[in-house]
Amino acid sequence: MTSPTDAELCTRWTALDDLELTDDLWAAAACVDRRFLLDLGIRRTASAESGSSDPNDLRGTVSAYFSSHIRSVLLQQVRDSLAAANSTTYSESDADEGWEDDPWADTDTEGPPTAPLPLSVFLTEDVSLMCLALASQMQFLALKIIIQRHNSSVFPHRFQIITRIPLFADPSDYRDLLPAIDSQSGMESFIQGSPWRNVKLACSQVALPSTDCHKRVEVIVSSTGLVDMALSLVQHGVSQGVVGLDELGEDLSLVSRLVYDSPGSETGGSAETISISEWVSLEPRDVVRRYLAHSAADTIVNDIRRLVMPYLFVLESRCERAGKPDSGLFKRLLYDYILHANLDVVVPIFEASKPTLVASQRLISDDEDLARLALACLYGSSSLYDWANMSRIFECLPAWNFEAERDEEDEVDTTVASLSSFLAPSTSRPHSSPSDLLVFFKPLPAQSLSRALDILDVHLESGEILSRWGVPVPLRWFLQSAHDEAQQRAWAMKMARQNDAPSGDLDSEEVWLSLLEDMLKLTRPEELSTNSAFGALSGDDVRQIFFRGLLSTGKFTIAKRVALPRHGERLLSPDVIESLCLDCSREFYDNASSGNYNFGDMKLAYDCLSVAPQSPAILKEREFIEATSRISSFNVTSRPGVPILPIEIRLTKDKLNLVARVLSSNESAYKHVEVLLELVRKLGFREDVLAEVKMLAMVADTALQAEDFPRAFEASDRMVNAVVKLRQTAPFGADSPQVREAVEVCWVACFQLGRQSEAEDVDRKMALLGRALELCPPDKIVDILTSWRKLEAEDIDRRQRKTAERQWRNQGGAKQAGDPRGRMSTLSSKLQDIHMPSPALPSASALASHTFNRVAASFPFSMHGHPPD
């Protein structure tokens, strides 16, 4: 068996686990050997305390340095071993006295210092690489020592070392490592070296550029957002004489105000983050807005003083240094912010600029500029309900005492007219901004501005009134509608049509009277100008609009008391009240979805007419509503399954067609002649005989189609009587157009019913045909006579049968039973025995004339249109 080699033994020893070392004797012996090794190392390094006597012996110097360091490490290990040996004598009760991580334990005890780099790394690694590593670990003290000892090796890499320092490190901690400028030579100065040996350095000193500082500052701000660290770095560079950092320092100072001092930065919820390149690219107006982006109404003034004003002063200084002074920069940027800010934020700015304050304390010191800004902000605002803040702004404006002059009023009126056209919305510009409006107010002098503020006062009061009654408008609306009567009338109607009561109960008469008072106040009848909300409307116009709005809400009892009071002056004349009631009733009628006047809009339309005095026009409209309700009760439809709407009834040109639709939609409607006649009268045909004739003709035709001949004859008789009476009472007799139309309807209806073979009442049929012959035009006589002859033959045959039956009933006995037609045969034979000369046959016209005369002889009335004189 061969013995293992040294390599195998080493491998086995290395792989052996500590728990497998069960030989206590061997372990104790190894510890003793380690102690002997420590003692040997201490003895062999004793010579390091004396150092090298030859300063030019580099090897001896390095050997002495590391021997000294090794000796200190060995001594520390001995001390640690002794301390460990003493600590092993504790008992178990001592361990229970406290925790290993006792929070109340004294942590100020300092342990032995540890080297920032292992010895092996320090001995073998390149110095520049060690410096880079130490810089990244923020070991600034060790880094400084290495730079001092190895100045020549580190100097070329000084800027790379600085770039390895973490960006969040405080520059004050490594200020000794930063480059500086010698005030005497103007060249770069670096850390003074104290090398181990005297070596001549070949380091070239150059003028230090500021670009490196710019780059590091940009990286710090963009990567970490630690503006204070970047500012500290720049301040150190300036103190060390680095040129070109003044403007960068100003920018960082301003950025630090934005990041750390702007509203919201305390909590961090709305803290600003911005890079230097972004800051430089911002326009001044954008910077001001970012400074004040989170400012509230109670902090805006202070924020402007501590954030915006220093920034604007810096801008002015830069302009002066560039040789382009801009004295209006402060005003321009501040005014621009005011024109784009919300009203609640702008109010404190105006309050801090009151003319009553000391000029040095005012944000806006020029009274005219203050007035122009207020006019532009208020008329450019789209707010509908912020009238309190608008009034607060108005209270901060100057009050000039100028006598009114005609030229100045004309100038203001011209400006108002120009603004009205300019503010008109278009597809390209829905509304104008306050900056646009400021252009119109800039040319106005103080006198004109004073007049414009007077107009603003009127508009603010009008706006508050409109807002109180639930019809708010932006302030610019008053300029847009200054000379537009239609627009003012439309808004007055909207104000009068109150759906809810923002200022009280709509069932109270006092609320409506208060509304009327406010509407009349908006007209300003005592002033000649038209600058109020309803300045283009007269007082009567507003009263009519108010009364119509009151009617539209359905408050008819209040409307009647207001319009027709028992005491005092009436609101409007009776004729106007009647007209407004009719218009409002028709509006309800047209919007109704059902014709039943017992509920809904139709009820409102019907009850609205009770407000006005009951004149013929009012009664006619009431009857029309009743007729509409009657038509709806017959289930008349506009199309299958859809009931007819009231608006369709009103828009029907020939209202008698509605009666025809009633007759066609209801099988039994023709039986109610009186109801239909009343319906015709209420449809607007009262005292119109022609309409009654047409309705009776429709009833007769409907009854004829239903084969209800008695009702058809009855309707025809009433129709004939109406026509006869009309011909007798008409002013122009038969020549009247109305009479001719009635006659036309009558004879056609009589002819249609008279020639019906299904009707058994021959007498009534002959009477109707006789009326048709009387009333028809000459070219229709032959057609009617044809029906007459047929009906006459039937009548003769009927009469003969009746005569024979009557005779048969009168004679009685067997004689009549044996020869019932004997008498007739005898008469026939006698007639056959008579011989008379046969004249020549007459012509057709003569025969028709003879027949007509024979028929007319049996007519129950005269053929003439008027009775004989």
Side-chain angles (χ1 to χ4, degrees):
M1 181 176 178
T2 60
S3 59
T5 63
D6 295 340
E8 292 176 352
L9 291 174
C10 182
T11 303
R12 290 171 59 186
W13 173 258
T14 305
L16 187 65
D17 189 79
D18 294 341
L19 298 177
E20 297 178 4
L21 295 176
T22 58
D23 192 345
D24 296 336
L25 180 60
W26 182 91
C31 292
V32 171
D33 291 341
R34 182 175 181 275
R35 178 61 184 268
F36 289 154
L37 291 176
L38 290 175
D39 294 340
L40 179 60
I42 292 173
R43 289 195 302 271
R44 296 294 296 269
T45 56
S47 61
E49 295 181 354
S50 61
S52 178
S53 58
D54 187 3
N56 296 325
D57 186 6
L58 179 61
R59 180 178 180 83
T61 302
V62 173
S63 177
Y65 169 75
F66 285 112
S67 296
S68 177
H69 181 71
I70 292 172
R71 180 180 177 82
S72 63
V73 172
L74 294 174
L75 292 174
Q76 182 63 38
Q77 290 182 0
V78 172
R79 286 193 294 269
D80 293 342
S81 299
L82 294 175
N86 295 330
S87 64
T88 56
T89 60
Y90 67 91
S91 63
E92 295 182 358
S93 60
D94 296 335
D96 298 334
E97 293 179 358
W99 300 283
E100 183 180 353
D101 55 347
D102 186 4
W104 304 104
D106 188 5
T107 59
D108 295 337
T109 58
E110 296 182 358
T114 59
L117 289 174
L119 178 59
S120 60
V121 174
F122 182 79
L123 292 175
T124 60
E125 195 63 64
D126 184 72
V127 176
S128 61
L129 296 178
M130 285 190 296
C131 291
L132 295 176
L134 292 174
S136 63
Q137 298 173 10
M138 295 192 299
Q139 298 289 342
F140 301 129
L141 181 59
L143 179 60
K144 182 179 178 180
I145 294 174
I146 293 179
I147 293 175
Q148 288 176 344
R149 296 297 182 178
H150 303 277
N151 193 282
S152 60
S153 300
V154 176
F155 183 82
H157 307 285
R158 61 194 183 284
F159 294 113
Q160 295 180 6
I161 294 173
I162 294 175
T163 58
R164 292 302 181 91
I165 299 175
L167 299 175
F168 55 83
D170 190 350
S172 61
D173 295 338
Y174 59 91
R175 60 180 180 273
D176 296 334
L177 306 178
L178 295 173
I181 298 295
D182 188 356
S183 59
Q184 296 179 358
S185 63
M187 304 301 288
E188 178 185 0
S189 63
F190 196 58
I191 298 176
Q192 295 296 326
S194 56
W196 296 105
R197 58 178 179 168
N198 296 326
V199 180
K200 295 183 179 180
L201 299 178
C203 301
S204 60
Q205 295 181 340
V206 297
L208 186 64
S210 62
T211 55
D212 294 332
C213 187
H214 277 275
K215 292 179 181 179
R216 184 166 181 80
V217 166
E218 175 65 28
V219 175
I220 291 176
V221 175
S222 60
S223 301
T224 66
L226 299 176
V227 182
D228 53 345
M229 298 298 178
L231 181 60
S232 177
L233 179 62
V234 172
Q235 290 175 346
H236 176 76
V238 173
S239 65
Q240 296 299 319
V242 181
V243 296
L245 297 180
D246 294 336
E247 189 168 344
L248 178 60
E250 291 178 348
D251 289 335
L252 284 174
S253 178
L254 296 174
V255 172
S256 66
R257 291 176 180 271
L258 175 64
V259 174
Y260 302 117
D261 299 336
S262 62
S265 61
E266 296 83 1
T267 59
S270 58
E272 290 282 350
T273 57
I274 186 173
S275 63
I276 296 299
S277 58
E278 183 182 357
W279 171 268
V280 174
S281 64
L282 287 177
E283 294 292 333
R285 56 186 297 182
D286 298 328
V287 174
V288 173
R289 293 177 184 177
R290 295 194 66 165
Y291 270 129
L292 306 176
H294 305 288
S295 296
D298 54 345
T299 63
I300 183 65
V301 175
N302 187 37
D303 293 341
I304 291 176
R305 296 186 189 278
R306 67 185 181 89
L307 298 177
V308 176
M309 294 182 71
Y311 169 71
L312 297 180
F313 290 151
V314 170
L315 291 186
E316 289 183 350
S317 300
R318 288 182 180 179
C319 292
E320 291 177 358
R321 291 197 299 265
K324 299 178 181 179
D326 188 359
S327 59
L329 178 65
F330 178 82
K331 289 185 177 180
R332 185 169 64 253
L333 294 178
L334 180 61
Y335 294 175
D336 178 77
Y337 172 78
I338 294 174
L339 292 173
H340 290 86
N342 295 328
L343 287 180
D344 57 340
V345 177
V346 169
V347 169
I349 298 177
F350 282 97
E351 290 179 343
S353 306
K354 289 182 179 180
T356 55
L357 298 177
V358 181
S360 59
Q361 299 178 356
R362 297 173 60 183
L363 288 179
I364 305 172
S365 57
D366 192 333
D367 290 347
E368 295 185 9
D369 288 348
L370 186 67
R372 295 187 184 99
L373 283 173
L375 290 170
C377 288
L378 295 178
Y379 283 116
S381 173
S382 299
S383 177
L384 299 178
Y385 302 99
D386 205 2
W387 299 103
N389 284 330
M390 295 183 187
S391 299
R392 289 174 60 187
I393 292 176
F394 179 77
E395 293 173 357
C396 301
L397 301 181
W400 291 293
N401 295 323
F402 296 112
E403 296 182 359
E405 297 182 4
R406 185 61 184 174
D407 295 339
E408 296 168 359
E409 293 184 359
D410 293 341
E411 184 177 357
V412 173
D413 293 339
T414 302
T415 304
V416 171
S418 301
L419 276 173
S420 178
S421 59
F422 180 78
L423 290 172
S426 61
T427 55
S428 60
R429 188 186 59 199
H431 63 273
S432 301
S433 64
S435 299
D436 299 330
L437 294 177
L438 186 62
V439 177
F440 288 89
F441 293 109
K442 274 188 176 181
L444 296 182
Q447 293 84 351
S448 300
L449 289 174
S450 177
R451 177 60 179 162
L453 293 181
D454 294 339
I455 297 175
L456 175 62
D457 187 15
V458 176
H459 289 172
L460 287 174
E461 182 182 3
S462 301
E464 292 178 358
I465 293 175
L466 293 178
S467 178
R468 185 166 63 249
W469 290 104
V471 286
V473 294
L475 196 63
R476 61 172 174 269
W477 180 86
F478 297 101
L479 294 175
Q480 294 173 339
S481 63
H483 303 285
D484 191 345
E485 180 180 351
Q487 194 172 359
Q488 293 184 10
R489 183 179 296 275
W491 214 256
M493 293 177 64
K494 185 176 181 180
M495 181 178 180
R497 293 174 180 265
Q498 289 290 317
N499 295 323
D500 51 9
S503 299
D505 186 8
L506 286 178
D507 293 329
S508 173
E509 182 179 351
E510 288 74 12
V511 173
W512 287 100
L513 292 177
S514 177
L515 173 61
L516 175 60
E517 181 181 356
D518 285 342
M519 293 184 68
L520 291 175
K521 187 185 299 183
L522 295 178
T523 59
R524 302 275 181 176
E526 70 277 2
E527 297 184 5
L528 298 177
S529 61
T530 58
N531 295 317
S532 57
F534 305 146
L537 304 177
S538 63
D540 289 338
D541 293 337
V542 171
R543 292 186 185 92
Q544 294 180 23
I545 293 172
F546 163 78
F547 185 69
R548 186 165 184 167
L550 177 56
L551 293 176
S552 66
T553 60
K555 311 297 182 183
F556 303 126
T557 303
I558 298 177
K560 194 168 186 177
R561 290 200 301 264
V562 172
L564 304 172
R566 295 182 179 180
H567 307 286
E569 185 180 358
R570 289 189 174 185
L571 180 67
L572 298 167
S573 63
D575 294 340
V576 175
I577 294 176
E578 175 186 314
S579 176
L580 294 175
C581 288
L582 288 173
D583 292 342
C584 191
S585 175
R586 288 165 183 165
E587 183 177 350
F588 283 127
Y589 181 98
D590 295 341
N591 294 325
S593 58
S594 173
N596 192 337
Y597 72 114
N598 292 317
F599 63 89
D601 287 336
M602 283 296 289
K603 178 176 175 58
L604 294 176
Y606 191 76
D607 294 343
C608 181
L609 299 174
S610 62
V611 177
Q614 301 304 296
S615 62
I618 295 293
L619 294 176
K620 183 178 179 180
E621 189 67 22
R622 290 174 69 92
E623 290 179 348
F624 184 74
I625 295 175
E626 294 171 357
T628 301
S629 182
R630 177 65 66 182
I631 292 173
S632 299
S633 66
F634 283 106
N635 297 324
V636 179
T637 59
S638 57
R639 56 183 180 274
V642 180
I644 190 171
L645 294 175
I647 185 64
E648 295 179 278
I649 295 176
R650 185 181 294 278
L651 294 179
T652 302
K653 294 182 179 180
D654 188 0
K655 299 297 188 292
L656 290 178
N657 287 337
L658 298 171
V659 180
R661 296 172 70 174
V662 169
L663 292 171
S664 62
S665 62
N666 196 301
E667 296 179 355
S668 61
Y670 72 92
K671 299 178 182 180
H672 308 285
V673 179
E674 294 299 331
V675 174
L676 294 176
L677 282 174
E678 186 66 19
L679 176 61
V680 170
R681 297 187 186 103
K682 290 184 176 182
L683 283 173
F685 299 106
R686 189 172 294 278
E687 306 298 335
D688 190 344
V689 180
L690 176 60
E692 294 184 8
V693 169
K694 290 182 178 181
M695 190 279 299
L696 291 172
M698 289 186 285
V699 171
D701 182 68
T702 305
L704 178 61
Q705 294 178 9
E707 296 184 356
D708 190 350
F709 298 111
R711 284 191 170 87
F713 287 127
E714 181 181 354
S716 299
D717 291 341
R718 294 185 65 171
M719 176 183 60
V720 170
N721 294 333
V723 172
V724 172
K725 184 177 180 181
L726 178 63
R727 294 180 66 184
Q728 293 175 354
T729 59
F732 300 99
D735 296 333
S736 173
Q738 185 181 18
V739 173
R740 287 199 299 269
E741 187 175 357
V743 168
E744 177 72 17
V745 172
C746 184
W747 78 261
V748 171
C750 291
F751 177 60
Q752 293 291 339
L753 182 58
R755 66 179 183 175
Q756 289 296 321
S757 59
E758 292 83 359
E760 298 179 354
D761 195 342
V762 179
D763 293 337
R764 302 188 75 171
K765 287 171 33 175
M766 293 187 66
L768 291 177
L769 288 176
R771 290 296 186 181
L773 284 171
E774 177 187 4
L775 301 175
C776 73
D779 57 340
K780 301 297 181 180
I781 291 178
V782 176
D783 297 334
I784 299 175
L785 283 177
T786 302
S787 299
W788 172 269
R789 293 193 194 98
K790 182 179 178 180
L791 185 60
E792 184 184 30
E794 294 176 359
D795 183 55
I796 291 174
D797 183 63
R798 182 181 59 82
R799 289 175 183 273
Q800 289 177 352
R801 287 197 302 271
K802 284 185 178 181
T803 302
E805 291 174 359
R806 187 170 53 254
Q807 290 177 354
W808 179 76
R809 286 195 300 269
N810 291 335
Q811 289 179 0
K815 180 179 179 180
Q816 293 180 357
D819 190 9
R821 295 192 307 173
R823 181 179 178 85
M824 296 178 60
S825 302
T826 304
L827 179 59
S828 177
S829 60
K830 289 182 180 180
L831 291 174
Q832 291 177 1
D833 295 337
I834 298 176
H835 298 280
M836 296 184 66
S838 177
L841 292 175
S843 62
S845 60
L847 181 60
S849 177
H850 174 72
T851 304
F852 180 74
N853 291 332
R854 181 168 55 84
V855 173
S858 62
F859 285 173
F861 50 85
S862 174
M863 291 290 294
H864 303 287
H866 296 280
D869 296 336

